[in-house]
Amino acid sequence: MKAIIAEKPSAAREIAHLLGAHEKKDGYLSGNGYCVTWALGHLIALGMPEDYGIKGFNKTSLPIFPDPFILTPKKLKKANGYEPDPSALKQLNTIKQVINQCSSIIVATDAGREGELIFRYIYHYIQCNKPFERLWISSLTEKAIQDGFKKLQPGDAFDGLYQAAKARGEADWLVGINATQALTIAGNQDVYSLGRVQTPTLALICQRFLQHQNFTKQKYFQIQLSHRKEYTDFTSLSLLEWEEKKQAEQIQKSIEREGRAVVKDISVTTVQEQSPLLFDLTELQKEANRKLGLSADEVLQIAQSLYEKKFITYPRTGSKYIPGDLWSEIPELVRILNTSDPFKTAVSTLKFGNFNKRIVNDIKVTDHHGLLITTKIPSALSTTEKAIYDMIAYRLLESLSHACTKQVRNIMIKVHHYEFQIKGSKILSKGWRVIKGILSDNENSNNKNEALTELPEFKVGDELKISKTELLEKVTQPPKLYTEADLLSAMENAGRSMENKEEQKALSNIGIGTPATRASIIETLLSRNYIVRKSKTLHPTDKGLQVYNLVKDQKIANVQMTAEWELALDKIEKGELNRTQFINDIQDYTAEITNELLSLHIPQENIPQLNCPKCQQHTLIIKDKIVKCPNEQCSWILFRTICGIQLTIKDLTLLLTQNKTSLIKNMKSKSGKKFDAFIVFKEDFSTVFEFGSRN
């Protein structure tokens, strides 16, 4: 018998069905010489400080350097700490039983860094030493699974992948646990959560927000001229910008009196706009955020659902290319799309046998190739699933199309000694832009002032009559606040912001986080109440800005250093760097930031001394999220955020001294309806709403 361990039940069922393992057992399927079970994601994690006998936050315990790291079953957060997850313990026991009755193992967790770590942690935790092979597939279609089983690879071929995943997990633990405890001790109040990638990402958001807030807008003026030639109306714009309106008005009058301009220079260039490459996960998240307003995490969940339904290939990819041996399968994918009405018009613009092969590049394919549809025709999709599927399908058709060719014309004219510019372009060959019929897309255009308008013919020396002049009042604009799409780009290209040109070149394609983790980093910042979504943009909260101001000059907020670590992890995966050396460097870094953070002086919020309303014997601990009695026997607790509104210190004081807050406005019910109410104590010191008069 062979044991097969998938990452989720859905993947296990697909594999079991194909292998003929149809007999359902408790937590696995068996038959035809196979036992197929699953991991339910991360069943095993790195132990917390209490697992090493370190309780509470104590300055003398820092920095904490586990040697070795302890593996523990997944835990759930409870009121009195963490407890093992019963469902995780049950499934772990099932996996152990399955492995005990089998001679060898086939690893079928997701083919990537995290999938490898999920299996290896289980393997080591149950102290298994049986041989294992690796199933490495990019989709869950029958053909992909069958091909994968024909090409099973030795388990040790993925040791580098495991070492990189293990190093990332341990580095995140070392930095996150020590930095969080150090800053919390320095603050002597609420827990400040810091992290290896989380904190530099918060720094990016706060920096942009402060640049935006502190930007001083300045007015400036440009002159626009209107012309008509050969029955075509067009405009020209002054190259100069004037700060003084009076000066600009004088020049405008002078130009009106002249009444005509002379063509001084003509530049005509042919520009080829290459077809876009396939989506990787980050690019899909950016596009869906811009076009559909979906968060990065929502896009990942939708893509994962499409993958598990076998409609697309593995979504957690960082590549936009496919290997050469996959090229022969592309025409069949196009034929599949041609059977669906929405894509028929687009497919008709392609010529079979003359596809653009720009997406084929073996060297640039990482763990997985770019996102593709599969041969399974989708059915019963939700609205958002269909939107994401369509994006991936249209992007495939665009990538197979040829370049869009434009003729760009740049005409410089003069009035007196003032220069004006006329810009225009016309499409010579629509190429990939015909797929969705978008012939002018300012997001992708190299020149956003360029108009897709055919201009009349000009030659040097031509005189152009000025039919109208207009003084344009403009204002300099602050840097735009980050949308999720913009933030993903900033995270992806963090290395490019480095001042040292040699280092910038080395890190130009290295970001912070990975395609698979960036969405969760944003969600972590949201859950910590460090940032909020406002319309389509991300804003730091007061707490987020407070944390940023505390650490902005410390190494923990260094974006470039985090980008360098991603490069180091990539080298570990390739066997070019020893994991132990990397962790030693992280420990040195952790010791530095721990000392930096412990030495910070954090002004204390003016928190009153309030007694526990239940036992009346202890002074309450008042934190950002909770108010609680320190006595474990009493265990009274109050969560400060109620229906979306955080209780202020003033209202807490009123509640605890007079049993009733002031009127709290704009609370939000579960149905999303806003309401105003007082919060009052019941006899058992739990809280209820009091709505008072309804006049």
Side-chain angles (χ1 to χ4, degrees):
M1 291 278 281
K2 286 193 175 185
I4 298 175
I5 302 178
E7 191 160 321
K8 292 183 179 178
S10 57
R13 284 193 292 269
E14 294 295 340
I15 293 168
H17 174 73
L18 195 65
L19 296 175
H22 300 304
E23 191 178 345
K24 289 184 180 179
K25 304 279 188 177
D26 187 10
Y28 68 101
L29 298 132
S30 70
N32 203 23
Y34 294 99
C35 286
V36 186
T37 187
W38 50 86
L40 297 174
H42 286 273
L43 290 178
I44 300 294
L46 295 177
M48 297 302 285
E50 52 265 33
D51 294 308
Y52 301 92
I54 301 169
K55 292 186 177 181
F57 289 11
N58 192 320
K59 189 174 182 178
T60 58
S61 300
L62 299 180
I64 305 167
F65 292 150
D67 185 22
F69 278 89
I70 294 171
L71 296 177
T72 65
K74 180 184 173 185
K75 294 180 180 179
L76 298 176
K77 192 172 185 179
K78 301 288 184 181
N80 296 323
Y82 289 87
E83 294 177 7
D85 180 350
S87 62
L89 291 174
K90 182 183 177 185
Q91 193 58 24
L92 269 172
N93 191 47
T94 298
I95 292 170
K96 193 170 184 178
Q97 287 176 10
V98 166
I99 288 175
N100 284 342
Q101 60 185 297
C102 295
S103 57
S104 64
I105 305 164
I106 295 172
V107 185
T109 48
D110 284 356
R113 213 183 259 177
E114 289 309 298
E116 192 68 22
L117 192 66
I118 284 169
F119 165 71
R120 299 286 187 119
Y121 272 0
I122 293 170
Y123 185 82
H124 291 302
Y125 180 77
I126 64 175
Q127 298 181 335
C128 184
N129 56 11
K130 291 186 178 180
F132 59 91
E133 296 175 286
R134 192 58 159 103
L135 174 70
W136 192 268
I137 54 176
S138 288
S139 82
L140 289 171
T141 60
E142 285 190 13
K143 185 179 185 304
I145 295 170
Q146 285 171 341
D147 289 347
F149 271 96
K150 289 174 187 173
K151 296 184 285 188
L152 290 173
Q153 299 182 55
D156 59 10
F158 297 90
D159 284 351
L161 191 68
Y162 164 57
Q163 292 296 337
K166 190 170 185 281
R168 185 197 63 76
E170 291 176 1
D172 285 346
W173 194 102
L174 289 167
V175 175
I177 295 291
N178 285 292
T180 295
Q181 291 205 11
L183 191 57
T184 300
I185 291 166
N188 195 31
Q189 49 173 3
D190 193 32
V191 174
Y192 293 93
S193 170
L194 301 179
R196 184 182 66 90
V197 182
Q198 169 193 322
T199 304
T201 303
L202 175 64
L204 287 172
I205 296 167
C206 291
Q207 285 164 5
R208 177 59 61 87
F209 177 80
L210 293 171
Q211 287 167 359
H212 182 90
Q213 292 290 98
N214 298 331
F215 185 84
T216 304
K217 291 185 177 182
Q218 293 184 321
K219 284 185 182 179
Y220 68 96
F221 301 88
Q222 282 182 288
I223 299 171
Q224 181 175 278
L225 310 180
S226 297
H227 314 276
R228 183 175 176 83
K229 187 176 190 290
E230 297 172 9
Y231 306 104
T232 303
D233 294 311
F234 54 95
T235 60
S236 60
L237 186 67
S238 64
L239 292 181
L240 280 177
E241 298 170 356
W242 293 274
E243 292 180 10
E244 297 294 330
K245 185 175 183 180
K246 202 168 185 180
Q247 183 188 11
E249 286 175 334
Q250 289 173 348
I251 293 166
Q252 182 187 10
K253 287 175 184 175
S254 168
I255 288 168
E256 282 177 347
R257 286 194 296 271
E258 179 66 19
R260 62 187 61 245
V262 178
V263 176
K264 289 295 183 183
D265 187 56
I266 299 169
S267 168
V268 181
T269 55
T270 301
V271 176
Q272 281 208 331
E273 211 175 57
Q274 290 294 340
S275 58
L277 296 165
L278 298 173
F279 282 125
D280 63 5
L281 176 60
T282 302
E283 199 63 35
L284 178 68
Q285 288 169 321
K286 285 155 60 176
E287 187 82 352
N289 181 250
R290 291 190 196 106
K291 302 288 174 67
L292 305 173
L294 294 172
S295 72
D297 189 58
E298 286 172 327
V299 177
L300 177 56
Q301 300 310 319
I302 294 163
Q304 184 69 23
S305 173
L306 289 169
Y307 168 67
E308 289 174 15
K309 292 175 181 177
K310 302 189 284 187
F311 298 140
I312 67 168
T313 57
Y314 187 65
R316 288 175 167 84
T317 176
S319 176
K320 299 176 182 179
Y321 297 87
I322 62 169
D325 60 7
L326 198 59
W327 178 250
S328 61
E329 298 178 26
I330 297 299
E332 181 59 24
L333 300 182
V334 178
R335 289 189 192 97
I336 293 291
L337 291 176
N338 201 31
T339 64
S340 177
D341 286 336
F343 302 106
K344 281 184 177 178
T345 302
V347 172
S348 69
T349 67
L350 292 171
K351 289 183 181 178
F352 281 83
N354 189 32
F355 292 166
N356 187 347
K357 291 186 72 172
R358 186 164 172 253
I359 59 172
V360 178
N361 191 322
D362 289 272
I363 295 170
K364 292 190 177 181
V365 174
T366 52
D367 291 343
H368 294 277
H369 54 68
L371 267 167
L372 292 171
I373 61 164
T374 67
T375 53
K376 186 176 179 182
I377 297 171
S379 58
L381 296 183
S382 68
T383 304
T384 50
E385 283 178 331
K386 185 179 184 309
I388 295 297
Y389 178 88
D390 287 358
M391 273 188 172
I392 295 166
Y394 275 120
R395 178 55 68 93
L396 168 63
L397 297 177
E398 286 176 335
S399 73
L400 299 175
S401 305
H402 290 275
C404 170
T405 307
K406 295 178 185 177
Q407 185 190 74
V408 179
R409 305 180 73 199
N410 193 344
I411 294 94
M412 196 268 283
I413 64 175
K414 264 190 176 182
V415 187
H416 300 313
H417 62 281
Y418 300 106
E419 294 180 335
F420 290 76
Q421 193 173 50
I422 303 166
K423 285 196 166 205
S425 66
K426 66 178 178 179
I427 300 284
L428 301 178
S429 171
K430 294 176 182 177
W432 65 272
R433 284 197 173 274
V434 79
I435 293 295
K436 288 193 286 191
I438 302 172
L439 299 181
S440 178
D441 181 354
N442 279 346
E443 265 185 356
N444 296 326
S445 174
N446 290 328
N447 192 329
K448 298 191 179 184
N449 296 318
E450 175 190 299
L452 271 176
T453 310
E454 288 199 40
L455 295 170
E457 292 300 317
F458 298 97
K459 61 181 185 290
V460 173
D462 279 355
E463 288 193 345
L464 293 178
K465 187 178 177 183
I466 300 168
S467 57
K468 179 185 172 185
T469 69
E470 189 177 356
L471 189 63
L472 305 180
E473 183 177 306
K474 298 185 177 182
V475 179
T476 55
Q477 294 301 313
K480 289 182 179 179
L481 293 172
Y482 280 129
T483 61
E484 280 197 48
D486 298 331
L487 180 60
L488 287 167
S489 287
M491 294 171 75
E492 186 179 30
N493 300 310
R496 294 182 187 176
S497 62
M498 300 189 75
E499 293 180 6
N500 183 302
K501 294 300 177 186
E502 283 301 310
E503 290 178 356
Q504 185 190 80
K505 186 178 178 182
L507 294 171
S508 61
N509 295 316
I510 297 295
I512 57 176
T514 65
T517 61
R518 288 179 189 131
S520 66
I521 293 160
I522 296 170
E523 293 302 315
T524 295
L525 291 173
L526 287 161
S527 69
R528 304 283 189 217
N529 193 33
Y530 285 170
I531 63 171
V532 290
R533 292 187 180 100
K534 289 187 180 179
S535 186
K536 289 185 176 181
T537 54
L538 298 170
H539 295 236
T541 61
D542 289 343
K543 184 176 182 181
L545 284 169
Q546 182 194 21
V547 171
Y548 169 68
N549 284 321
L550 288 170
V551 302
K552 63 183 178 183
D553 298 322
Q554 314 300 326
K555 288 189 174 183
I556 185 73
N558 189 311
V559 174
Q560 283 77 37
M561 183 173 289
T562 308
E564 287 178 32
W565 286 342
E566 300 297 346
L567 185 63
L569 291 169
D570 190 54
K571 287 182 177 178
I572 292 170
E573 186 172 325
K574 293 173 181 173
E576 297 170 4
L577 180 67
N578 182 276
R579 185 189 67 85
T580 304
Q581 180 59 52
F582 173 75
I583 292 298
N584 287 341
D585 291 344
I586 290 287
Q587 286 187 350
D588 292 342
Y589 167 82
T590 300
E592 284 186 59
I593 61 167
T594 301
N595 288 330
E596 282 182 348
L597 295 170
L598 285 171
S599 65
L600 289 176
H601 172 69
I602 303 174
Q604 300 299 301
E605 186 182 4
N606 189 17
I607 297 174
Q609 299 282 307
L610 296 168
N611 284 339
C612 174
K614 185 179 176 184
C615 70
Q616 294 290 330
Q617 293 179 10
H618 298 276
T619 302
L620 291 170
I621 297 169
I622 300 175
K623 296 194 174 185
D624 185 57
K625 291 184 179 180
I626 62 168
V627 181
K628 68 176 183 177
C629 180
N631 184 279
E632 289 185 8
Q633 276 72 41
C634 174
S635 71
W636 182 84
I637 189 167
L638 172 72
F639 290 95
R640 279 183 69 174
T641 300
I642 300 174
C643 293
I645 300 294
Q646 185 188 48
L647 293 183
T648 62
I649 292 295
K650 178 185 174 184
D651 276 315
L652 276 175
T653 304
L654 285 170
L655 179 63
L656 289 158
T657 57
Q658 300 178 29
N659 294 337
K660 183 177 180 178
T661 66
S662 63
L663 183 68
I664 297 174
K665 295 186 176 183
N666 295 320
M667 288 189 283
K668 193 179 284 187
S669 69
K670 288 182 180 178
S671 63
K673 188 177 179 181
K674 289 189 176 180
F675 67 95
D676 304 338
F678 300 94
I679 295 171
V680 298
F681 273 143
K682 293 200 301 185
E683 286 185 10
D684 64 353
F685 299 105
S686 60
T687 55
V688 291
F689 296 121
E690 183 182 290
F691 296 98
S693 171
R694 296 191 179 273
N695 292 337

